[in-house]
């Protein structure tokens, strides 16, 4: 038998990429590759890349620069780039980076084993074709169980929304929903291996199944997942506000397994900006959906994404974003300065703000959110929360888990509790976590 070879994967970008990296580990096991944490020890290094904003892209290129020295060392190392930059750049990337061995796009994961075999024989190669939806579903690679308590499950891939600023539809392709039978079977198998919480994953999960006359819609899928024995908690990400249906809102009222958290990015609080962004909803419509969600599940925690400095954003538009934040009361918010992305509609719009002005808007928004997050975290002090224990904390003798509302709680207890739901009294609150006491 061959001695095992070492695989180092560095993942950039969103949860879809994290998920795809886990799939790569599974796919390369058959080729006797075993994961390592050290690029120096690796025989194969893969970068799973993101180009959502210019900064994300720059990070990948500087990492590629750093890895050059390993390629030049005595040991033979193969270097590959996958993910969204690979999809976008394809052959160009292989030409531009002479020490790169393989480039595989977001629709070419299933080809990875063959590509690595060819690279081992000295070939340099690129695959970045888009697949049609049927082929794509038939070739959908699965990842194997890893013994964890929580697990992500892809339910759909790609995006058809074409928000004017966003590169995702160009690098992930058209929206396609996995067959519900496949999704449910995968989750049943996970439950048997000890998984207690699943997060249904996709760019826009609540448009799940809408293209099919035979498949359930997203609310229907949630109800079926909730029937699976052993799965105690269900989460999903990401949702698009325009596709939050009354049926989905009803799930929050009726499915106890569905966690009290929704990530529902608004992107802006200004109707003018929302329309320029091609988001398909108004501020009022967004707030109405938030209100309906809070009515269905009063303790629901809402998180979101916000973009500042979109072309044409005035001080007034910006202030509407701040006032929306206060009205919603986000538990947490990811916020970004607008970044012009190739091919997107908004890249053609004239920039109306200086870099400094945009950064100041972002800083102010983030300070406001930090304060609101900390205040909200403090409201949990003195309450009892059900926590699904996920593992041991970095700090000794503590374990950690999350509340149904997705707050991280650290508390002193035995690690044998991992995988169970326990009741914890919250005794202190910080910016990013809560401190608890086991009851
Ligand atoms: N599918 C998800 C989000 C995908 S990208 C959704 O629709 O909600 C994650 C976040 O990055 C977006 O919600 C948006 O806030 C931000 N983003 C995307 N493109 C961007 C750009 N060009 N400039 C700045 N932020 C951007
Ligand atoms: Fe991008 Fe909009 Fe699709 Fe989200 S819904 S991935 S922001 S195009
Ligand atoms: Fe980035 Fe691609 Fe995700 S661009 S955010 S890794 S879909």
């Amino acid at each position: 038998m061959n001695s095992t070879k070492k695989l180092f994967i560095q993942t950039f970008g969103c949860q879809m990429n994290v998920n795809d990296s886990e799939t790569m580990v599974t796919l390369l096991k058959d080729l006797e590759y075993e994961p390592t944490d050290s690029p120096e020890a690796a025989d194969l290094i893969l970068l799973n890349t993101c180009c959502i904003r210019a900064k994300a892209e720059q990070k990948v290129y500087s990492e590629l620069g750093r890895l050059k020295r390993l390629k030049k060392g005595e040991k033979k190392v193969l270097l590959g780039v996958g993910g969204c930059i690979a999809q976008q750049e394809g052959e160009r990337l292989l030409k531009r980076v002479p020490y790169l061995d393989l480039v595989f796009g977001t629709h070419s994961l299933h080809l990875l084993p063959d590509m690595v075999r060819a690279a081992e024989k000295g070939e340099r190669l690129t695959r970045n074709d888009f697949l049609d939806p049927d082929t794509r579903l038939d070739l959908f690679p699965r990842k194997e169980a890893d013994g964890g308590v929580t697990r992500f499950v892809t339910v759909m891939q790609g995006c058809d929304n074409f928000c004017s600023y966003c590169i995702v539809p160009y690098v992930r392709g058209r929206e396609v929903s996995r067959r519900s039978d496949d999704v449910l079977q995968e989750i049943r198998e996970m439950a048997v291996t000890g998984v207690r919480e699943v997060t249904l994953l996709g760019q826009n999960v609540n448009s799940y199944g809408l293209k099919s006359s035979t498949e359930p819609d997203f609310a229907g899928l949630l109800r079926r997942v909730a029937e699976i024995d052993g799965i105690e908690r269900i989460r999903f990400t990401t949702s698009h506000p325009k596709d939050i249906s009354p049926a989905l809102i009803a799930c929050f009222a009726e499915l106890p397994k569905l966690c009290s958290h929704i990530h529902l990015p608004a992107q802006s609080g200004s109707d003018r900006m929302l329309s320029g962004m091609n988001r398909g909803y108004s501020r009022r419509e967004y707030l109405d959906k938030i209100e309906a969600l809070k009515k269905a599940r009063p303790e629901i925690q809402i998180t979101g994404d916000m973009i500042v400095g979109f072309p044409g954003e005035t001080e007034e538009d910006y202030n509407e974003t701040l006032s929306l934040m206060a009205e919603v009361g986000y538990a947490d918010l990811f916020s970004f300065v607008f970044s012009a992305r190739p091919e997107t509609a908004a890249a053609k719009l004239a920039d109306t703000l200086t870099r400094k002005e945009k950064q100041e808007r972002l800083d102010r928004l983030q300070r406001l959110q930090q304060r609101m997050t900390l205040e909200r975290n403090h409201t949990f002090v003195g309450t009892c929360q059900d926590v699904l224990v996920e593992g041991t904390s970095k700090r000794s003798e503590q374990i950690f888990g999350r509340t149904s509302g997705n707050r991280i709680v650290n508390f002193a207890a035995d690690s044998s509790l991992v995988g169970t739901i326990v009741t914890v009294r919250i005794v202190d609150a910080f910016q990013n976590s809560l401190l608890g006491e086991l009851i």
Side-chain angles (χ1 to χ4, degrees):
M1 197 175 116
N2 288 341
S3 63
T4 52
K5 296 164 280 188
K6 298 286 183 207
L7 164 67
F8 176 78
I9 305 186
Q10 187 166 353
T11 309
F12 300 82
C14 66
Q15 196 57 52
M16 328 293 149
N17 266 11
V18 175
N19 201 61
D20 286 348
S21 292
E22 289 171 4
T23 309
M24 290 175 203
V25 171
T26 300
L27 289 170
L28 292 172
K29 272 224 167 107
D30 287 347
L31 269 65
E32 315 257 345
Y33 279 97
E34 194 179 80
T36 171
D37 292 335
S38 142
E40 283 77 18
D43 302 284
L44 170 61
I45 298 177
L46 298 177
L47 301 186
N48 194 5
T49 62
C50 173
C51 47
I52 193 82
R53 289 167 291 274
K55 254 193 210 152
E57 199 168 44
Q58 283 150 15
K59 251 189 6 224
V60 173
Y61 284 108
S62 51
E63 188 55 33
L64 266 176
R66 269 197 294 278
L67 289 170
K68 189 174 178 181
R69 89 194 141 80
L70 291 182
K71 277 296 288 186
K72 285 196 160 169
E74 287 199 348
K75 187 175 157 198
K76 184 174 187 290
V77 187
L78 296 176
L79 181 59
V81 172
C84 294
I85 296 181
Q87 185 63 40
Q88 191 189 26
E89 295 298 315
E91 194 67 30
R92 278 201 301 263
L93 192 58
L94 206 62
K95 288 215 174 93
R96 183 156 17 133
V97 187
Y99 52 92
L100 206 54
D101 299 289
L102 57 145
V103 173
F104 55 105
T106 55
H107 282 210
S108 305
L109 262 195
H110 62 288
L111 299 173
L112 187 59
D114 282 346
M115 291 181 75
V116 169
R117 258 187 222 111
E120 285 173 340
K121 292 189 187 124
E123 241 185 277
R124 296 182 75 221
L125 59 172
T126 307
R127 296 285 179 274
N128 72 333
D129 290 337
F130 278 117
L131 300 172
D132 71 53
D134 288 338
T135 319
R136 208 157 169 218
L137 287 177
D138 291 336
L139 295 173
F140 193 89
R142 294 246 311 250
K143 54 182 187 180
E144 65 183 20
D146 67 351
V149 176
T150 63
R151 204 73 167 131
F152 283 86
V153 186
T154 304
V155 300
M156 51 89 64
Q157 293 182 311
C159 183
D160 289 350
N161 285 323
F162 291 93
C163 300
S164 66
Y165 51 81
C166 185
I167 200 168
V168 170
Y170 304 93
V171 289
R172 291 272 163 175
R174 292 292 58 73
E175 191 175 292
V176 40
S177 297
R178 274 180 81 193
R179 295 175 187 115
S180 58
D181 285 347
D182 293 349
V183 172
L184 295 168
Q185 183 56 28
E186 188 172 353
I187 299 175
R188 277 186 213 106
E189 288 168 18
M190 286 179 181
V192 172
T193 70
V195 171
R196 292 291 159 261
E197 175 185 298
V198 287
T199 303
L200 309 185
L201 183 65
Q203 288 297 350
N204 186 18
V205 286
N206 39 12
S207 65
Y208 176 87
L210 295 184
K211 287 183 178 176
S212 160
S213 55
T214 49
E215 289 285 11
D217 63 3
F218 188 58
L221 182 70
L222 280 177
R223 287 179 189 276
R224 284 176 212 193
V225 175
E227 285 166 7
I228 297 176
D229 285 337
I231 297 299
E232 295 176 49
R233 284 184 166 187
I234 307 167
R235 301 181 189 276
F236 57 86
T237 195
T238 298
S239 302
H240 193 298
K242 76 173 163 46
D243 295 320
I244 297 284
S245 64
L248 177 58
I249 293 170
C251 288
F252 280 99
E254 293 162 25
L255 298 180
K257 286 185 182 179
L258 186 58
C259 287
S260 301
H261 169 226
I262 187 165
H263 185 70
L264 197 60
Q267 313 297 1
S268 171
S270 147
D271 280 338
R272 239 168 44 82
M273 294 297 103
L274 288 172
S275 146
M277 290 174 171
N278 191 30
R279 287 290 285 177
Y281 54 85
S282 65
R283 174 191 176 100
R284 185 69 261 155
E285 283 162 347
Y286 180 82
L287 286 170
D288 285 347
K289 292 199 172 168
I290 294 286
E291 201 181 319
L293 286 161
K294 286 180 177 169
K295 204 168 156 209
R297 181 72 68 88
E299 66 275 25
I300 197 164
Q301 301 296 308
I302 295 149
T303 57
D305 299 341
M306 221 50 103
I307 296 176
V308 300
F310 186 78
E313 186 190 71
T314 62
E315 190 67 23
E316 198 182 339
D317 295 315
Y318 171 68
N319 283 330
E320 292 201 53
T321 293
L322 300 186
S323 72
L324 181 89
M325 286 164 58
E327 253 184 82
V328 173
Y330 289 106
D332 239 324
L333 193 65
F334 299 97
S335 47
F336 315 97
V337 167
F338 167 76
S339 166
R341 301 282 64 212
E343 294 189 73
T344 64
K348 297 175 194 80
L349 302 175
D351 221 348
T352 46
L353 293 163
T354 66
R355 215 185 165 129
K356 190 161 163 259
E357 285 167 326
K358 288 184 245 182
Q359 191 59 44
E360 276 169 6
R361 285 188 184 177
L362 184 70
D363 292 345
R364 247 165 76 204
L365 181 153
Q366 291 184 337
R367 280 198 301 273
L368 172 67
Q369 184 57 47
Q370 269 179 10
R371 213 181 62 227
M372 295 200 303
T373 298
L374 188 59
E375 274 172 17
R376 175 167 291 266
N377 283 349
H378 271 287
T379 63
F380 293 109
V381 174
T383 66
C384 289
Q385 299 283 329
D386 286 342
V387 172
L388 171 60
V389 186
E390 292 178 31
T392 48
S393 305
K394 281 181 210 124
R395 256 212 247 149
S396 57
E397 281 151 45
Q398 280 195 344
I399 58 177
F400 79 96
R402 276 174 299 153
T403 65
S404 171
N406 214 28
R407 300 285 89 191
I408 290 177
V409 186
N410 293 294
F411 58 104
D414 194 83
S415 60
S416 61
L417 293 177
V418 171
T420 62
I421 294 179
V422 294
T423 307
V424 173
R425 180 177 298 121
I426 306 303
V427 294
D428 207 352
F430 313 102
Q431 193 66 50
N432 298 314
S433 66
L434 306 172
L435 181 69
E437 267 172 13
L438 185 66
I439 296 187

